[in-house]
Amino acid sequence: MLPVLGFIIVLMVFLFLILPLFIKKRYTIEEKVVINKPDPVVFDYVKLLGNQTYYNKWVMMDPNVKRTGAGIDGTVGFISAWNSNLRNVGKGEQEITRILQGSQIDSKVRFEKPFKNVADVQMTTKAIAAGQTELTWTMLGQNKYPMNVMNLFIPGMLARDMAESLQNLKNVLEKGA
C-alpha cells in the first residue's frame, strides 16, 4: 500500500510541478466558418456582443445568467458582463477594444469565476465570394505556471465550443435572423 501511495505522490508532483515547466504558457485557438451572407451582414451582426445570446455556446448554457452592459453595444469601450451560478459559465466581462470597420472586432475577455484569467479575442470577416463571408474567431490567452498544464486540454475543448458556436451563428444568419 505504501509504495502505491508513494508512486501516486511522485506522479502528482510530476504532473503539477515538473510537467508544466515544459508546456507553453500561451495558447492560440482559431476556428473558421463560411456563412452564406454578405460580409457587411455578418460583420454588423458579430460586432454586437448582445447577439452572442443567439449563437455563443457559453452564453447559451445558462438561460438564467445575469447579464449587464455598459456603453453602446457594437462600439469601442462597450462592456458586456455576465454572472452565472453554473460553474461552466462563471462570471466575467467582455470589452470591445478595437473595431476595424467592416473587417475586425477585437475584445478582451476577463474571467473572474471559475478562475481568473484574461483572453484576447478577434472576430474577423472576409468576403470570399458574392454573398459569402469567411468568419474567423481567434482567442489568445495565457495560463501562468503551474496552471499552464491546462494548456494540454483547454485549447481543444475551447476549439470545439468555438466551432459549435460558429455553426450556431451560421445557422442563425442563414435563416435570416
Side-chain angles (χ1 to χ4, degrees):
M1 180 70 171
L2 197 53
V4 172
L5 184 59
F7 175 76
I8 291 173
I9 290 171
V10 168
L11 182 62
M12 297 295 281
V13 168
F14 176 77
L15 286 176
F16 293 104
L17 297 177
I18 307 298
L19 186 60
L21 292 172
F22 303 99
I23 299 171
K24 292 181 181 178
K25 292 182 179 129
R26 294 186 174 278
Y27 63 86
T28 301
I29 306 162
E30 183 175 281
E31 292 295 321
K32 297 180 180 193
V33 69
V34 174
I35 300 172
N36 295 314
K37 287 290 182 179
D39 187 357
V41 172
V42 176
F43 181 83
D44 287 344
Y45 193 84
V46 296
K47 82 174 184 180
L48 298 172
L49 298 183
N51 284 339
Q52 291 182 14
T53 304
Y54 306 109
Y55 69 89
N56 187 310
K57 178 180 178 171
W58 301 306
V59 175
M60 296 167 64
M61 278 183 185
D62 183 0
N64 299 315
V65 66
K66 294 179 184 88
R67 297 187 58 80
T68 59
I72 300 170
D73 198 356
T75 64
V76 172
F78 177 75
I79 298 174
S80 174
W82 70 92
N83 191 356
S84 171
N85 291 326
L86 298 181
R87 181 167 166 67
N88 288 348
V89 179
K91 179 181 179 182
E93 65 182 22
Q94 181 174 6
E95 178 180 1
I96 298 174
T97 56
R98 182 173 76 150
I99 297 177
L100 300 176
Q101 193 55 44
S103 65
Q104 184 173 310
I105 302 103
D106 294 348
S107 61
K108 189 164 291 290
V109 181
R110 294 178 280 270
F111 302 97
E112 292 295 319
K113 292 179 186 176
F115 54 87
K116 288 187 178 245
N117 206 338
V118 176
D120 292 310
V121 174
Q122 291 179 341
M123 295 285 251
T124 306
T125 61
K126 179 174 77 172
I128 57 173
Q132 235 181 16
T133 304
E134 180 181 74
L135 175 65
T136 304
W137 183 358
T138 307
M139 179 180 287
L140 301 108
Q142 180 173 327
N143 286 307
K144 296 178 182 175
Y145 172 87
M147 296 306 292
N148 62 316
V149 75
M150 294 187 340
N151 290 353
L152 294 174
F153 314 103
I154 297 294
M157 292 175 8
L158 291 176
R160 283 190 298 276
D161 289 350
M162 288 166 62
E164 182 179 329
S165 296
L166 288 175
Q167 189 59 50
N168 292 342
L169 176 61
K170 176 180 174 71
N171 294 339
V172 167
L173 287 176
E174 290 181 359
K175 289 180 181 169

